[in-house]
Amino acid sequence: MASAVTLPVLSGGDSIESYIQRVNTVPMLSQEEETSLAQRYHQDNDLEAAKQLVMSHLRVVVSIARGYSGYGLPQADLIQEGNIGLMKAVKRFEPGRGVRLFSFAVHWIKAEIHEYVLRNWRLVRVATTKAQRKLFFNLRSMKPGFAALTTTEAQKIADDLGVKREEVLEMETRMSGQDISLVADDNDDEGYAPIDWLADHDSAPDATLARRATDKLHTEGLQMALASLDERSRRIVETRWLADEGSSLTLHDLAAEFDVSAERIRQIEAKALSKMKQTLLPA
């Protein structure tokens, strides 16, 4: 269904604000209209009915995607991933069970966004089990303040989420580790910061030569890995991961360029990155 339903596109020259304005002009459906459209889609394979169901709930995706803005990922991609979840929900929606599409779709929308965040946030796989994923997405809101968790606070969160206290403390460290400052506070004339204890070995001749050799190997390896890809896959990887800051393309941008669905672009991207990884592994 994803390739058959055309959604408002978040293109490179478009803005989040204008996209939101467009989707907010689509009226919400009454329960009777929703049921009728769902029956037309499932019984008659009426794709226009499916499109109306999706379009009327795009604003829901926008609202949910805003809750994940704190991970530093492109809002356009978060919305697109949520849209994919919405389309999966429409495909599986059964109005006869007495549940509104809004309530049913929330799970699917969040599931797609969760997967995207876990794949891309800091390029680190921070959660592998279901319990750890729940911890990852709930720890910030469950912390009583901005200070580090006490043993009692960590135990309470662990009990609520069904994980070990050590896992809570480890996750907090991994999520807040980037906030440690290397330099001293401007108002602290007598204090010492971590940077004061670090020796500078960068200027040593052997270190300089080693760094240049490493950089050359990395550059040549990346070029070789890119050369192993077909033209379309290379274009996707370069514009998604290697472009200058602010000029990278979204899944929607590339979907429009290659005239395929955003889901197909994501599949090509994942396959290309996997192939590059194998190329870069030492023999």
Side-chain angles (χ1 to χ4, degrees):
M1 185 189 74
S3 60
V5 177
T6 303
L7 303 177
V9 175
L10 273 165
S11 62
D14 204 359
S15 68
I16 295 291
E17 290 73 18
S18 61
Y19 172 86
I20 294 174
Q21 288 177 357
R22 293 205 308 277
V23 300
N24 282 342
T25 61
V26 182
M28 294 294 289
L29 301 171
S30 67
Q31 186 168 4
E32 292 73 19
E33 291 172 327
E34 190 176 279
T35 300
S36 175
L37 289 170
Q39 290 175 343
R40 282 168 49 191
Y41 170 54
H42 289 293
Q43 296 175 7
D44 305 323
N45 197 30
D46 187 338
L47 296 182
E48 181 59 32
K51 178 180 178 180
Q52 291 184 49
L53 289 170
V54 172
M55 293 288 289
S56 65
H57 287 77
L58 290 177
R59 67 179 72 191
V60 177
V61 175
V62 170
S63 178
I64 294 175
R66 281 175 169 167
Y68 297 86
S69 58
Y71 296 100
L73 298 170
Q75 190 71 13
D77 284 353
L78 291 172
I79 292 174
Q80 169 55 22
E81 295 296 323
N83 286 346
I84 293 173
L86 172 59
M87 287 187 282
K88 289 182 177 180
V90 168
K91 186 175 182 180
R92 294 166 174 80
F93 178 56
E94 298 179 13
R97 295 190 175 185
V99 178
R100 295 296 301 272
L101 177 57
F102 171 88
S103 301
F104 181 77
V106 167
H107 164 77
W108 293 95
I109 294 168
K110 287 186 175 182
E112 290 297 318
I113 295 178
H114 281 192
E115 288 297 325
Y116 175 73
V117 171
L118 289 173
R119 284 198 312 271
N120 295 282
W121 191 59
R122 296 186 190 167
L123 303 182
V124 177
R125 192 175 185 183
V126 296
T128 54
T129 67
K130 184 177 180 180
Q132 287 175 332
R133 293 185 182 202
K134 186 176 181 181
L135 172 60
F136 177 78
F137 285 106
N138 286 277
L139 181 56
R140 285 180 175 176
S141 61
M142 295 181 71
K143 286 185 63 174
F146 295 104
L149 290 170
T150 65
T151 301
T152 302
E153 292 169 344
Q155 187 62 59
K156 184 178 186 307
I157 293 175
D159 293 340
D160 291 342
L161 297 179
V163 297
K164 297 178 181 178
R165 184 182 65 191
E166 291 74 16
E167 290 180 303
V168 174
L169 296 173
E170 179 186 1
M171 185 67 73
E172 181 193 29
T173 300
R174 297 170 76 175
M175 294 179 69
S176 62
Q178 79 282 3
D179 295 327
I180 299 175
S181 177
L182 282 175
V183 297
D185 192 301
D186 291 338
N187 299 320
D188 189 359
D189 296 328
E190 299 180 357
Y192 290 93
I195 197 170
D196 297 315
W197 303 97
L198 298 179
D200 182 9
H201 302 292
D202 289 344
S203 58
D206 56 341
T208 301
L209 291 174
R211 185 169 62 253
R212 289 177 179 174
T214 300
D215 290 344
K216 182 179 179 181
L217 286 173
H218 286 172
T219 301
E220 292 178 349
L222 179 60
Q223 291 175 344
M224 181 175 66
L226 286 170
S228 70
L229 304 177
D230 60 82
E231 183 176 349
R232 181 172 64 172
S233 298
R234 186 164 58 251
R235 165 71 175 165
I236 292 172
V237 171
E238 288 177 341
T239 55
R240 290 274 291 161
W241 297 99
L242 303 178
D244 294 334
E245 185 175 357
S247 61
S248 60
L249 299 183
T250 66
L251 294 172
H252 252 320
D253 294 332
L254 292 164
E257 178 178 330
F258 291 107
D259 194 25
V260 296
S261 68
E263 173 65 16
R264 179 56 182 154
I265 293 294
R266 185 173 64 168
Q267 292 172 356
I268 296 172
E269 176 188 62
K271 185 176 180 180
L273 291 175
S274 177
K275 184 175 182 179
M276 289 180 65
K277 181 179 178 180
Q278 292 301 317
T279 303
L280 291 169
L281 289 176

